[in-house]
Amino acid sequence: MAREAHDPHGEGLMEFALSEADAAFRSDLVGFLDRELAEGWSRSEHGLGSAVYTDFSRDFVRTLAAKGWLTPHWPREYGGGGQGAWQHFVLGEEMWKRGEPRGPQYMNVNWVGPALIKYGTEEQKRELLPPIARGDVFWCQGFSEPEAGTDLAALRTRAVREGEDYVLNGQKIWTSYANEADYCFLLARTGSVADGRNGISVFLLPLRTPGVDVRRIEGFVGEHSFNELFLTDVRVPGSCLLGEENKGWDIVRRTLAYERVGAPRYARAALVLDGLADWCRAAGLLTDPGVQEQFGQARALCEAARVLVYRVIDERAKAKEPSPMAYQARAAMVQAERAVGDLALDVMGSEALVEQSPGDAQFRNSLGAGIAAGSYEVQLNLISRLILKLPKE
Ligand SMILES: Cc1cc2nc3c(=O)[nH]c(=O)nc-3n(C[C@H](O)[C@H](O)[C@H](O)COP(=O)(O)OP(=O)(O)OC[C@H]3O[C@@H](n4cnc5c(N)ncnc54)[C@H](O)[C@@H]3O)c2cc1C
């Protein structure tokens, strides 16, 4: 919960403190995670996308759901707990610190479900939300294409209406978890290419539909996380369309605003930093003023990212429309991840290059952080235009 700080100069200061109920929730959750997760459980040991990581997350998420801790922030009628945005965020922080044991299902609860709640028909909500709230399904995100990453509005996957159905053809790339997913939240062009972002629609595609071919891509972030998705004459009923035809861009904008701060990366980076400090202390490096300065800078970046993300969550808790602050928060998280990754390489030297060591894991995390959910450079462009009001280059 955020509260306005004492602000004698009217500078819009704010301080954040959890309500008693949210603080008690965090403490229960930490105890639960200590019991449920084996000692040392973390993404760095199992590998994101590995079978052991994915299998674990399936069981773990069902346990979480049974406690009412998977979708506490959703409305009760859709399987939620009717709690606020802060409780969901506390969950995100604690999960991310532990390597995100919800696996791909963090996307379900963070942005897939909220998009269905806002734009879905009653039929879509009744069919698709309860399995998410029970922890029974995996969703993936089919946005990027080979020639449409940053320039997402250039996507070419087509959906053509035939009677009551749509027929999909095209290719997606970098589709995390598509190899395990049941559904894809997919963007396709229903208008002409010249319509740009005004000719795009969202489809809720069951991945077992004939004509869907998922192929693995080796990546730097984990054993098996990336995939390509080939769609050849994939026929789906009109009920798979989310929202209105050609109006998918509004849904995308909202979805990305949730996604940008969905992974509280600073929380994990700060823990890695603590581990690095222990390592440096043992190695006798922590008395070096240069090393101390690097630690100070990295810690400050983690804290700045935390507070900037809290401002975004505060907007959400007050039911305001997503604002450009999300770009700032995400850029700050990337800076924090990178500062900790660079520090690990600097102080640990070749030890940080050992595969799946904390240094290696942090370095890979920081690489992905600057690309996934929109690249860092593009966030800077958006900040310059929308927050600093600089002219478009
Ligand atoms: C870990 C991870 C998971 C991902 N998961 C998914 C997923 O599940 N589903 C999905 O759809 N996609 C996913 N992606 C893809 C991701 O969304 C894209 O990689 C991203 O949007 C960038 O697109 P691109 O790779 O085509 O790079 P490009 O758009 O080709 O950009 C290449 C480089 O050029 C820079 N650049 C491009 N345009 C500009 C500009 N105007 N100004 C300044 N610099 C610019 C970019 O910053 C970047 O550094 C994932 C990516 C990663 C790393």
Side-chain angles (χ1 to χ4, degrees), residues 14 23 43 59 90 103 176 203 226 242 252-253 321 358 369 384:
M14 183 173 280
R43 173 187 291 183
D59 289 342
V90 167
S176 307
F203 290 89
F226 290 139
L242 180 67
V252 171
R253 282 212 339 258
E321 282 301 298
S384 85

Side-chain angles (χ1 to χ4, degrees), residues 107 140-151 173-177 220-221 225-226 265 367-378 381 393:
M107 296 193 288
C140 63
Q141 181 193 54
F143 285 15
S144 306
E145 297 186 6
E147 301 299 326
T150 297
D151 188 11
I173 194 166
W174 312 124
T175 325
S176 307
Y177 304 107
F220 62 86
V221 283
S225 166
F226 290 139
R265 292 176 168 276
L367 285 178
I371 307 171
S375 75
Y376 174 67
E377 293 74 19
V378 171
N381 286 350
E393 78 290 1

Side-chain angles (χ1 to χ4, degrees), residues 69-298:
W69 286 356
L70 184 59
T71 52
H73 56 305
W74 286 14
R76 289 186 196 283
E77 71 253 47
Y78 302 124
Q83 299 295 324
W86 285 102
Q87 197 172 105
H88 172 228
F89 202 71
V90 167
L91 255 171
E93 273 188 342
E94 295 303 327
M95 296 293 164
W96 195 257
K97 279 183 195 169
R98 316 252 182 162
E100 192 45 274
R102 291 173 297 182
Q105 296 197 50
Y106 86 90
M107 296 193 288
N108 294 2
V109 299
N110 184 41
W111 61 264
V112 177
L116 294 173
I117 291 169
K118 178 142 181 81
Y119 298 100
T121 60
E122 272 314 306
E123 191 192 344
Q124 286 169 333
K125 291 180 199 178
R126 267 200 313 275
E127 182 190 338
L128 299 171
L129 290 172
I132 296 181
R134 288 194 303 268
D136 284 346
V137 282
F138 280 15
W139 281 73
C140 63
Q141 181 193 54
F143 285 15
S144 306
E145 297 186 6
E147 301 299 326
T150 297
D151 188 11
L152 189 56
L155 65 88
R156 288 184 298 192
T157 292
R158 288 205 62 82
V160 176
R161 184 134 209 165
E162 283 188 11
E164 298 295 301
D165 299 338
Y166 285 93
V167 178
L168 298 160
N169 279 286
Q171 183 197 345
K172 297 288 168 182
I173 194 166
W174 312 124
T175 325
S176 307
Y177 304 107
N179 55 313
E180 296 279 353
D182 304 284
Y183 291 93
C184 183
F185 195 97
L186 183 107
L187 299 187
R189 184 162 294 290
T190 35
S192 73
V193 176
D195 291 335
R197 57 184 62 177
N198 296 322
I200 291 172
S201 303
V202 175
F203 290 89
L204 309 170
L205 171 69
L207 278 177
R208 300 207 204 331
T209 310
V212 177
D213 182 17
V214 177
R215 295 184 206 161
R216 171 187 185 135
I217 314 177
E218 295 299 333
F220 62 86
V221 283
E223 268 181 50
H224 182 188
S225 166
F226 290 139
N227 304 275
E228 285 173 299
L229 206 61
F230 291 88
L231 307 168
T232 311
D233 295 332
V234 176
R235 182 174 287 274
V236 293
S239 57
C240 287
L241 176 73
L242 180 67
E244 286 178 54
E245 192 177 284
N246 294 331
K247 294 277 169 56
W249 199 256
D250 293 343
I251 304 177
V252 171
R253 282 212 339 258
R254 198 177 183 85
T255 302
L256 288 179
Y258 273 64
E259 193 189 15
R260 278 190 186 100
V261 293
R265 292 176 168 276
Y266 57 83
R268 183 160 179 80
L271 275 194
V272 173
L273 199 59
D274 290 345
L276 286 171
D278 290 342
W279 190 93
C280 283
R281 199 172 288 112
L285 292 174
L286 212 50
T287 47
D288 180 322
V291 173
Q292 288 177 355
E293 188 179 335
Q294 249 187 310
F295 268 97
Q297 283 173 351

